[in-house]
Amino acid sequence: MKCAWKELLAILPLWCRQDVDELGRDTLQELRLRLGSVPELVRSNGEVKLKRPVTAEDLSYVVNTASRYSPWAAATASQGYITAAGGHRIGLCGQAVVQAGEMTGMRVISSLCIRVCRDIVGLARSLSGISGSILIIGRPGSGKTTLLRDLVRQRSDTGRFAVGVVDERGELFPPGFATGFRTDVLSGCSKGQGIDQLLRTMGPATVAVDEVTSEKDCDALVKAGWCGVHLLATAHAGSREDLFSRPVYRSLVSQKLFDTLVILQPDKSFRTERMTL
């Protein structure tokens, strides 16, 4: 298992780094910082709390430090998160700034959820023999990104053709994470822009994207499917029925873009099904 642990510790206030290091180096999944409350460490072996309450200065320190490492931080903050160095995602909550009906940023931040990025080589080995397009679904925190990352590597290393990745937030393949022999990664742009560029310039046989969340994302995948490439993607849904019932994913289902559905469970295990109506 690989994790950019030093990069995570570097964005935390000095007073809590040692405790987080000692209590969560190998097990930390999320660190939750709420104004006026003590930090909460969500670990694979149970939760634990620190003793000192979080201040507004602590929250500002985390956001400002993480933003310096992320050239796309200003854009993603309007969507409620920042991606820090090492692929760690920081969820933002507080008082939003809304203009013309659209959220454009955060005026006051009252809580942060820092999700730890860990790389597990070989996690998707059992999926390496599955050809065609694969959609990974699961609830938030179920491990979709981690599984997709290794699935890209498996296909890149075992296949004969290139895999093009649109890493919109820099979470799939942060610096230092192995990408696979035939993998080309484009980061810092939207899925639609990235897919267009990969198709024009890199000639991938497979295109991979993380977190399909909007109709624009779905339209980009449909367009790629028309070009004859295979697709690897993740989406938020707890089951086949949940996926099929969501209007945002209607085009993915109706166009029959995916051959295989991988369903993640809360314990991070997964099962596969044929993607048929």
Side-chain angles (χ1 to χ4, degrees):
M1 182 184 296
K2 182 180 180 63
C3 176
W5 187 249
K6 290 183 179 179
E7 287 80 356
L8 175 68
L9 294 178
I11 68 173
L12 302 180
L14 290 172
W15 63 266
C16 69
R17 290 181 187 179
Q18 183 175 347
D19 287 337
V20 171
D21 188 27
E22 293 176 353
L23 294 170
R25 175 178 286 271
D26 297 320
T27 59
L28 186 64
Q29 297 175 336
E30 292 179 354
L31 175 61
R32 294 184 174 268
L33 305 176
R34 299 180 177 94
L35 183 62
S37 298
V38 297
E40 178 185 13
L41 283 69
V42 181
R43 308 175 301 173
S44 58
N45 59 344
E47 300 176 2
V48 65
K49 297 178 181 179
L50 304 186
K51 296 181 179 180
R52 175 173 164 177
V54 174
T55 66
E57 289 74 19
D58 294 331
L59 298 177
S60 296
Y61 181 88
V62 173
V63 172
N64 291 334
T65 305
S67 298
R68 295 191 190 103
Y69 291 97
S70 305
W72 49 88
T76 61
S78 66
Q79 302 176 45
Y81 68 89
I82 294 172
T83 302
H88 309 293
R89 184 196 291 192
I90 304 173
L92 313 174
C93 199
Q95 185 177 356
V97 177
V98 178
Q99 297 179 351
E102 297 289 335
M103 180 174 159
T104 60
M106 301 293 295
R107 180 175 290 110
V108 178
I109 296 176
S110 59
S111 58
L112 302 173
C113 175
I114 305 174
R115 188 177 299 175
V116 180
C117 178
R118 296 188 185 274
D119 187 24
I120 306 176
V121 176
L123 180 65
R125 189 171 291 119
S126 63
L127 303 176
S128 62
I130 300 177
S131 59
S133 297
I134 300 175
L135 180 64
I136 300 169
I137 64 171
R139 293 183 170 85
S142 58
K144 297 184 295 298
T145 299
T146 306
L147 183 60
L148 175 62
R149 182 185 300 119
D150 197 59
L151 179 58
V152 168
R153 280 193 296 253
Q154 296 292 331
R155 184 161 296 193
S156 173
D157 288 341
T158 60
R160 296 186 295 112
F161 303 102
V163 179
V165 177
V166 182
D167 193 2
E168 189 172 8
R169 299 173 301 272
E171 294 180 354
L172 262 177
F173 292 105
F177 281 32
T179 62
F181 181 69
R182 299 179 181 85
T183 302
D184 303 301
V185 181
L186 179 62
S187 61
C189 63
S190 70
K191 295 180 181 66
Q193 293 169 328
I195 289 174
D196 282 345
Q197 180 164 330
L198 287 174
L199 292 176
R200 288 198 313 269
T201 63
M202 303 306 294
T206 299
V207 170
V209 299
D210 193 19
E211 290 204 4
V212 179
T213 57
S214 68
E215 291 184 2
K216 287 184 179 179
D217 294 345
C218 294
D219 291 343
L221 289 177
V222 170
K223 183 177 179 180
W226 289 342
C227 294
V229 301
H230 290 151
L231 304 170
L232 304 176
T234 68
H236 290 295
S239 64
R240 172 196 295 272
E241 294 73 24
D242 189 12
L243 176 74
F244 283 16
S245 67
R246 297 193 179 190
V248 68
Y249 298 131
R250 185 173 292 125
S251 61
L252 299 185
V253 175
S254 63
Q255 295 288 335
K256 299 181 179 180
L257 290 180
F258 293 92
D259 306 294
T260 302
L261 188 65
V262 177
I263 305 172
L264 276 158
Q265 306 301 309
D267 64 358
K268 300 189 183 336
S269 64
F270 57 86
R271 69 177 190 274
T272 61
E273 296 181 3
R274 295 297 296 172
M275 182 76 169
T276 55
L277 288 170

